[in-house]
Amino acid sequence: PGGRRRGHGGHHPIAAPSPSHRKTGAEAPLPSAPFPIWTPEAGLRGTVIPPLPPSLSLEVLFMAFHPIDLKTWHRREYYLHFTNDVRCTYSLTTRLDITPLQGRRLYPALLWLLTKTVNGLEPFRTAYTPETGLGIYDHMHPSYTVFHKASETFSCIWTPWQASYPAFLQAYEADLAQYAQAACLSPKPGRPGNTFDVSMLPWTDFSGFNINVYDPGMYMLPIFTLGQRSCQDGKATIPLAIQIHHAVCDGYHIAQFLDRLNQAIAAFPG
C-alpha cells in the first residue's frame, strides 16, 4: 500500500490522504479499498503481513471496523452538513510542554502518546473507506516518516501500537532496523486501514501549519505534524499541528484530545 502519503520535503515530511477516498451518497461506483479491513463478519481481506510482535495477533492488529448507521447516528446532521453543504477539514496548531520527556527518545515517545490519546477518543478513530463507508475503528496504529539524509527523501513506516511503551519501543526499533534504510516510499508491507499519519520537522519551529489536499475531501482520520523542540527557562516545548475533518470532529473534541494528551505526557512511563 502506498496512498495517503505526500511528502513536502522536510525531515519527517507530512503524510496526506489519497484520492481513493471518495464521496458518500448516490454517486459513481466506488473503487476497492486500498487498505485491508478487518470486520468480525468478513475477517481479513488478503494482504501481505510482516512478522508481528509476539504479543499481537491479526485480530488485534486489524481491529474491528464498526459501520455507523447514519439514520440513528447522533452526528448525522453535522456529518451531512460538513460533507454535502460545506465540506471542510481544518487545522489547529498548539505547543506541547514536553519537559517530562526530557532524556527520552522523543519521536517514539510522542508516537506512542499520540496513539494512546487517539485510541481514547472515538472522533479520532472515525473513518470513511470506499469499501465499508463510515465507521469507527476499535484501535489505531501510527504511521510515521523517517528521513534519508543522503537522498533528501523519506520512507513511511507503520508500527503496531501496544499499551506497554517498552513493548512499543522495541517494535519501533525493530521496524527502524529493518526498514529505515530502504530507498523507497513504503518499504514495510501490510499497512492496515486503522493507521493514522504522523510527520515531524525537527529543523523548523512553526506557529501554524495547514495541509491542502485536492481530492474529494472524505478523509476523516487525523493527521499530526510535529516541529522543532525549543527549550527556555528549563521548559521544553514542541509545536503540534492537528488536521481533522469537521464532519467527525469539532473544536470541543480537539480540546478533549489536547487535555488528554497533556495529561498522558505528564504521566509518561518512567
Side-chain angles (χ1 to χ4, degrees):
R4 292 207 290 185
R5 309 166 187 83
R6 296 179 193 148
H8 55 57
H11 175 61
H12 294 288
I14 193 66
S18 160
S20 59
H21 298 277
R22 301 303 184 201
K23 296 167 67 176
T24 55
E27 301 178 4
L30 298 173
S32 299
F35 306 109
I37 301 296
W38 175 278
T39 64
E41 298 78 16
L44 180 65
R45 300 184 178 124
T47 187
V48 178
I49 306 298
L52 298 177
S55 58
L56 289 179
S57 65
L58 286 180
E59 290 83 356
V60 172
L61 177 61
F62 297 93
M63 295 300 285
F65 180 85
H66 303 282
I68 289 173
D69 183 355
L70 272 178
K71 295 179 181 179
T72 59
W73 193 34
H74 71 285
R75 284 194 63 86
R76 169 187 167 83
E77 181 180 2
Y78 307 94
Y79 176 81
L80 293 177
H81 176 69
F82 287 115
T83 56
N84 294 331
D85 302 328
V86 185
R87 182 170 299 187
C88 70
T89 65
Y90 65 95
S91 62
L92 180 147
T93 302
T94 188
R95 296 200 73 86
L96 300 176
D97 181 354
I98 56 169
T99 307
L101 305 182
Q102 293 284 66
R104 310 300 292 267
R105 295 183 60 188
L106 186 59
Y107 199 34
L110 286 171
L111 290 173
W112 185 83
L113 287 161
L114 286 169
T115 312
K116 174 183 173 66
T117 310
V118 163
N119 284 336
L121 292 168
E122 280 193 358
F124 291 82
R125 292 183 279 113
T126 303
Y128 171 80
T129 74
E131 187 176 67
T132 61
L134 186 69
I136 301 173
Y137 285 112
D138 280 346
H139 288 85
M140 302 293 293
H141 308 288
S143 175
Y144 51 94
T145 50
V146 294
F147 182 63
H148 306 308
K149 185 174 182 179
S151 63
E152 298 183 353
T153 60
F154 64 96
S155 292
C156 297
I157 302 174
W158 61 274
T159 296
W161 186 81
Q162 300 184 62
S164 163
Y165 176 68
F168 173 79
L169 180 61
Q170 184 177 9
Y172 167 86
E173 291 174 337
D175 281 334
L176 287 188
Q178 184 168 359
Y179 300 110
Q181 301 306 314
C184 62
L185 180 61
S186 305
K188 183 176 179 178
R191 173 175 168 166
N194 55 326
T195 52
F196 65 94
D197 295 302
V198 183
S199 302
M200 190 171 188
L201 300 171
W203 304 303
T204 306
D205 198 355
F206 55 80
S207 58
F209 193 98
N210 187 66
I211 302 166
N212 300 303
V213 180
Y214 298 96
D215 73 349
M218 290 298 293
Y219 185 74
M220 304 291 165
L221 292 173
I223 302 173
F224 299 98
T225 307
L226 295 154
Q228 185 181 59
R229 172 171 46 189
S230 299
C231 295
Q232 186 174 6
D233 299 326
K235 181 179 180 180
T237 63
I238 194 169
L240 170 68
I242 305 172
Q243 188 92 9
I244 195 70
H245 204 295
H246 211 338
V248 298
C249 186
D250 302 325
Y252 171 76
H253 305 115
I254 293 281
Q256 271 192 317
F257 179 89
L258 291 173
D259 184 58
R260 294 192 184 192
L261 177 60
N262 285 320
Q263 291 180 35
I265 292 173
F268 186 72

